[in-house]
Amino acid sequence: MNTSLQIIATKALPALSGEQVTYNAAKNVFLSQGYTSAAGNMYYKAIRLSNRLVVYYDLGQGYAYTFLNGIKLFCFDGPKTNLIAQRYWGGCDYRIFSEQFAKQQSVLMLKNFLAGQLKAQGAYVSEQEMLSFAQGMIEETQRKQLA
């Protein structure tokens, strides 16, 4: 088992400081310990990572569905992580969790971040190149990391 990824997930991510995580091999995701609300819903974090990027889902488990409450993207700056993008859903704009929707939103969030960085540097890359690069980086986080 690759313990360096577990160390990153448990110690390097500011969103998980003090929390224990477990690796779910079937879903290829790190899961935080959850808590149960007064309404009986379970809330927890699901994390996928590569050596360059962390995709962090805020999830809620209701009686019938798992909901995607938000996504955060972090990049690594040495041993530290920096938040580069986030999006939240809630209220009337809730989303039932699906891998496809979560991946699509993550790719768009990363593409928008990259577009902002390119603009700040006065550089130009085509929309398709940015989208393709962002998709590749998100797909790296979805590859099986542990045996």
Side-chain angles (χ1 to χ4, degrees):
M1 179 182 286
N2 186 337
T3 57
S4 64
L5 285 173
Q6 285 182 315
I7 291 168
I8 289 170
T10 58
K11 294 184 179 179
L13 298 175
L16 290 177
S17 56
E19 290 190 41
Q20 290 186 337
V21 295
T22 58
Y23 180 69
N24 180 320
K27 302 260 184 197
N28 188 35
V29 67
F30 288 94
L31 300 170
S32 72
Q33 290 181 329
Y35 70 91
T36 303
S37 71
N41 297 325
M42 172 72 96
Y43 295 93
Y44 58 99
K45 301 165 184 94
I47 303 131
R48 290 201 166 114
L49 60 150
S50 70
N51 62 346
R52 300 188 290 176
L53 189 68
V54 179
V55 180
Y56 170 103
Y57 302 131
D58 284 314
L59 300 174
Q61 180 68 49
Y63 69 93
Y65 299 105
T66 299
F67 295 94
L68 177 62
N69 296 322
I71 299 174
K72 292 180 185 173
L73 300 180
F74 294 89
C75 69
F76 289 104
D77 181 11
K80 296 181 181 181
T81 54
N82 292 328
L83 179 66
I84 60 171
Q86 63 184 342
R87 178 152 187 218
Y88 288 100
W89 294 269
C92 296
D93 191 31
Y94 67 88
R95 299 287 184 219
I96 295 174
F97 180 78
S98 82
E99 288 285 351
Q100 181 181 3
F101 178 78
K103 178 182 176 182
Q104 175 192 41
Q105 292 302 304
S106 300
V107 168
L108 291 175
M109 290 166 60
L110 182 57
K111 182 195 73 78
N112 290 339
F113 170 77
L114 295 170
Q117 295 298 303
L118 287 168
K119 185 175 180 180
Q121 295 176 21
Y124 174 78
V125 173
S126 76
E127 188 83 8
Q128 185 57 43
E129 285 177 290
M130 276 190 293
L131 195 58
S132 178
F133 185 77
Q135 185 169 350
M137 285 190 70
I138 295 300
E139 287 173 355
E140 280 181 28
T141 69
Q142 295 178 326
R143 290 190 189 111
K144 202 154 197 122
Q145 301 290 324
L146 302 177

